[in-house]
Amino acid sequence: MRTTQDLRRSGLATAAAVLPLALATATAAAAASGISVSTSGSEVTVTTRACRSVDGGFGSASLLSPGQSDFSQGRQMSLSGTSAGQSAVWSGVGAGTYTVIVLCQDGQTAGTQAVRVSAPSTRPPSPSPSVASTSSASAAPALPPTAAPTRGVSAGLGGTATDHSTATTVVGGTLVTTAVVSTAWFLRRRSEPQRL
């Protein structure tokens, strides 16, 4: 009887200890990147504090298009800034999902992060009416063709809209497994007759 109660307490204590540990691991994995990427229209900006100045430079950043996997294949920009923070900016970036890699001057990778650029709202200007065209029917302006999504439809709870790292997937799987095992154990214990 005493052994069963000890096992029950240790099982609950283990479950209570796993949850904060899993959340801390997920937070640490997200912070381990060392870079922050943001978009504004067709402009992509990366910032970091991980690079130090070597020979007057901080390093460079590369914007990789889908299908590119090497730093040298992307659009490269030099990092500018101070020792407190560095940044690089790409303008005229088309809609799609890109990967940003920051390589410090000392050869260390500051981080890698995926970024999604939405299509900029560019609409061709409507033609102004002239004397000759006022008598004819006005035609609606032609809209440019839109690109097909490259990664499928981004719907639902956001699972297809964000690339999750391996650590995030492992932590999520661990939490689900812990919940299923704990529920099964609890239901099994409730179905047994109570002994006095």
Side-chain angles (χ1 to χ4, degrees):
M1 183 70 171
R2 179 91 171 128
T3 306
T4 306
Q5 289 178 350
D6 290 342
L7 287 176
R8 182 175 13 162
R9 288 184 188 141
S10 66
L12 292 175
T14 303
V18 168
L19 183 60
L21 180 62
L23 293 176
T25 305
T27 305
S33 174
I35 65 173
S36 174
V37 181
S38 61
T39 63
S40 175
S42 64
E43 187 174 274
V44 177
T45 304
V46 61
T47 57
T48 184
R49 294 181 179 176
C51 297
R52 59 184 176 86
S53 179
V54 175
D55 297 329
F58 291 102
S60 56
S62 183
L63 182 71
L64 279 64
S65 299
Q68 295 177 332
S69 58
D70 191 45
F71 184 88
S72 61
Q73 294 174 331
R75 290 173 54 185
Q76 296 181 20
M77 299 290 289
S78 294
L79 292 174
S80 60
T82 65
S83 59
Q86 308 84 40
S87 65
V89 179
W90 295 271
S91 4
V93 179
T97 302
Y98 298 87
T99 302
V100 176
I101 302 174
V102 175
L103 186 62
C104 296
Q105 191 76 17
D106 61 2
Q108 298 295 319
T109 302
T112 302
Q113 187 174 337
V115 63
R116 185 169 182 200
V117 178
S118 300
S121 57
T122 57
R123 189 171 210 163
S126 59
S128 58
S130 64
V131 176
S133 66
T134 54
S135 62
S136 65
S138 65
L143 296 177
T146 58
T150 58
R151 294 184 52 224
V153 177
S154 295
L157 296 175
T160 58
T162 304
D163 289 333
H164 295 290
S165 67
T166 305
T168 306
T169 306
V170 169
V171 169
T174 303
L175 289 173
V176 169
T177 303
T178 303
V180 169
V181 169
S182 298
T183 302
W185 176 80
F186 178 76
L187 292 175
R188 183 180 154 271
R189 295 290 300 162
R190 296 271 305 191
S191 65
E192 290 180 2
Q194 298 294 326
R195 296 182 189 122
L196 296 176

